[in-house]
Amino acid sequence: MGQPGPLAWAGPSSRRKLNVLQNPDISQVDLKICSRCIYDERVPAIHFDDQGVCNYCRQVESLINQYGTGRPKGEAEFARILDDIRRDGRGKQYDCIVGVSGGTDSSYLVHLAKQWGLRPLAVHYDNTWNSAIATMNIHKVLDGLGVDLYTHVVANKEADDIFRSFFLSGVAEIEASTDLGYAYLLRKVAAKYSIKYILEGHSFVEEGITPLGRNYFDGRYIQAIHQQFGSMPMKTYPLMTFSRFLKSALFNQVKFIRPLWYLNYSKEDAKKFLSETFGWRYYGGHHLENRMTAFYHSVYLPQKFGGDMRNNTLSARARNGNMSREQAWAEYNSPPLVEDELVSYFKKRLGLSDKVYEQIMQAPAKNWTQYPTYKKRFERLRPLFYMLAKANLVPMSFYLKYCFPAKAPT
């Protein structure tokens, strides 16, 4: 696969419309929309070919060709990877790590790992905002499979202080600490147990690769915002600095493998299997297994930034033919599901008065380019990260999203 071009941001015509709810009838909307999925002209860096197909659909096509997803090529390559995992894991208690959240993909991946004859260690990053359903799902699946669980719990006051600092900063990435902490925890546990393979349950076919919009995170970004707006030191939070990132990739040689990039996978079939086999329960929507994540997707991003990330999964379903474009667009333009008392819970946990909460929600939005990050460093080292991604030492999605120039969000 050739290296993708640099990321850019949507132009003035997109800025004037924002990601607010549109007419649910896709034929009645004054927006340019992909002819294959439901990404529209407001999506960062989007462009359309002469068939009206967006570059993100073409990116998925390219990745399918590269990885042989769901084809003999992909199955053969993944079989080779499985042989490597088994060989490198000889004599060890565990031969791979699977990160678990209680969600569909990670839960199903643990089942697959056992089916493949692997000896996985499940790892969970607990930011103390888990829903009860997610916690029960984790234990039902792991107990049913006889898989050990390693959990790292961030001290709740410390976790809340980091979340609160991001909320006060006015940027969109209120969940950044969870995403990065989880990624570094996987690397730390792998080093602790001398495990060389981490399996992740992401499927670009089912979810796409989220365009780099208001969803940036790295260790310097988290540290800078927390230093400015936080009130207590980081002691239990696993901060992944640049040096820790490179050490893991270059010296520990921990490989990140995404089996679902190689294999045929249906999220709906996985949900049905998990429910029937383990009594696993669905939690109501993509990423809603955690209450902070639910607040971000259902309240914070739509209300403060006019953004809605449901189009990633819905576009994937339309692209795959699992849902019509008309159905996907209508669901995308219906109000997001919001748990009762979610906003009240958020304010209470973070010690925010109604007045402060409204002030922050109504204040002008800020973006990640206004704070220190490693972004320029990632761009300068793009050739290195391309090689690391090809070797599975960093996720390919990291390379595609973080190692090319991007203009500031509008």
Side-chain angles (χ1 to χ4, degrees):
M1 182 183 68
Q3 298 185 16
L7 295 171
W9 292 91
S13 63
S14 298
R15 287 198 295 268
R16 65 179 171 84
K17 292 173 180 174
L18 295 176
N19 282 43
V20 296
L21 295 180
Q22 301 285 317
N23 190 321
D25 183 347
I26 195 170
S27 66
Q28 301 298 316
V29 180
D30 182 25
L31 286 172
K32 187 173 181 59
I33 305 170
C34 176
S35 61
R36 183 172 296 174
C37 72
I38 62 164
Y39 276 0
D40 62 58
E41 62 185 68
R42 299 168 297 177
V43 173
I46 197 167
H47 54 82
F48 306 91
D49 62 20
D50 56 7
Q51 296 177 308
V53 178
C54 74
N55 51 304
Y56 294 106
C57 284
R58 297 304 187 194
Q59 181 186 62
V60 168
E61 289 178 355
S62 180
L63 288 171
I64 288 173
N65 289 331
Q66 179 185 0
Y67 286 86
T69 312
R71 302 172 181 175
K73 172 186 174 182
E75 293 170 359
E77 175 61 19
F78 187 67
R80 184 193 63 76
I81 292 172
L82 284 177
D83 288 341
D84 291 342
I85 295 174
R86 297 187 188 106
R87 182 179 60 252
D88 291 345
R90 287 174 186 165
K92 299 177 182 178
Q93 185 176 5
Y94 311 107
D95 54 19
C96 64
I97 282 173
V98 179
V100 294
S101 66
T104 310
D105 303 331
S106 64
S107 298
Y108 192 69
L109 185 58
V110 180
H111 153 71
L112 288 177
K114 292 288 287 186
Q115 193 175 65
W116 296 325
L118 301 180
R119 291 171 284 109
L121 171 63
V123 174
H124 177 59
Y125 174 84
D126 188 350
N127 66 7
T128 72
W129 286 68
N130 280 348
S131 69
I133 292 177
T135 301
M136 287 190 293
N137 282 345
I138 290 171
H139 290 288
K140 285 180 178 179
V141 172
L142 298 185
D143 290 347
L145 292 168
V147 172
D148 292 339
L149 174 64
Y150 182 107
T151 298
H152 178 81
V153 183
V154 181
N156 63 336
K157 290 185 178 179
E158 183 179 335
D160 290 350
D161 189 57
I162 298 171
F163 286 136
R164 188 174 189 272
S165 67
F166 267 79
F167 184 69
L168 295 177
S169 74
V171 299
E173 292 82 11
I174 196 170
E175 265 267 282
S177 61
T178 297
D179 293 331
L180 194 70
Y182 171 71
Y184 186 47
L185 175 65
L186 295 175
R187 292 180 178 276
K188 287 184 66 177
V189 176
K192 177 182 176 69
Y193 289 95
S194 299
I195 299 170
K196 292 298 184 182
Y197 291 87
I198 295 170
L199 307 186
E200 293 187 301
H202 178 265
S203 167
F204 68 83
V205 173
E206 287 282 342
E207 301 175 33
I209 293 180
T210 306
L212 180 56
R214 294 183 171 92
N215 61 333
Y216 183 88
F217 57 89
D218 67 35
R220 190 180 183 198
Y221 184 45
I222 291 170
Q223 197 169 37
I225 286 182
H226 184 251
Q227 286 176 344
Q228 184 171 343
F229 297 96
S231 60
M232 62 187 299
M234 290 183 185
K235 292 184 177 180
T236 63
Y237 175 71
L239 179 68
M240 183 156 64
T241 61
F242 187 82
S243 60
R244 290 170 177 170
F245 180 37
L246 277 192
K247 178 185 176 183
S248 176
L250 294 174
F251 298 103
N252 295 337
Q253 294 280 295
V254 179
K255 292 193 174 185
F256 278 74
I257 305 297
R258 292 178 167 177
L260 307 182
W261 283 41
Y262 299 91
L263 307 175
N264 188 40
Y265 173 67
S266 164
K267 187 185 288 283
E268 292 304 311
D269 290 347
K271 289 178 188 175
K272 182 179 180 181
F273 173 85
L274 292 169
S275 176
E276 294 176 350
T277 307
F278 303 106
W280 178 95
R281 290 176 57 195
Y282 187 50
Y283 31 85
H286 188 48
H287 291 313
L288 301 186
E289 65 268 31
N290 182 277
R291 299 183 86 182
M292 177 57 75
T293 311
F295 175 81
Y296 169 69
H297 282 274
S298 302
V299 179
Y300 188 59
L301 191 62
Q303 293 183 16
K304 183 173 174 66
F305 297 90
D308 190 337
M309 295 175 71
R310 290 179 296 171
N311 66 342
N312 296 329
T313 301
L314 291 169
S315 283
R317 295 192 68 189
R319 190 182 295 126
N320 299 339
N322 295 326
M323 174 183 279
S324 70
R325 289 176 67 251
E326 291 75 16
Q327 290 173 316
W329 182 263
E331 183 173 334
Y332 178 47
N333 287 283
S334 63
L337 176 68
V338 180
E339 175 192 347
D340 291 342
E341 306 301 323
L342 179 60
V343 174
S344 297
Y345 180 81
F346 175 85
K347 289 189 285 189
K348 183 177 181 180
R349 277 283 304 254
L350 299 191
L352 300 167
S353 66
D354 293 343
K355 180 179 180 181
V356 170
Y357 176 83
E358 290 301 329
Q359 285 177 339
I360 297 297
M361 292 296 287
Q362 298 301 323
K366 294 185 179 180
N367 64 73
W368 54 267
T369 64
Q370 295 173 262
Y371 294 93
T373 69
Y374 294 132
K375 183 69 171 64
K376 291 297 182 183
R377 193 178 301 182
F378 294 148
E379 293 173 17
R380 288 197 300 271
L381 295 175
R382 185 165 70 236
L384 169 64
F385 285 117
Y386 179 70
M387 291 188 293
L388 292 175
K390 293 289 287 184
N392 291 316
L393 295 173
V394 301
M396 179 60 75
S397 58
F398 164 82
Y399 169 76
L400 294 174
K401 288 171 59 176
Y402 283 62
C403 295
F404 292 86
K407 297 179 180 178
T410 54

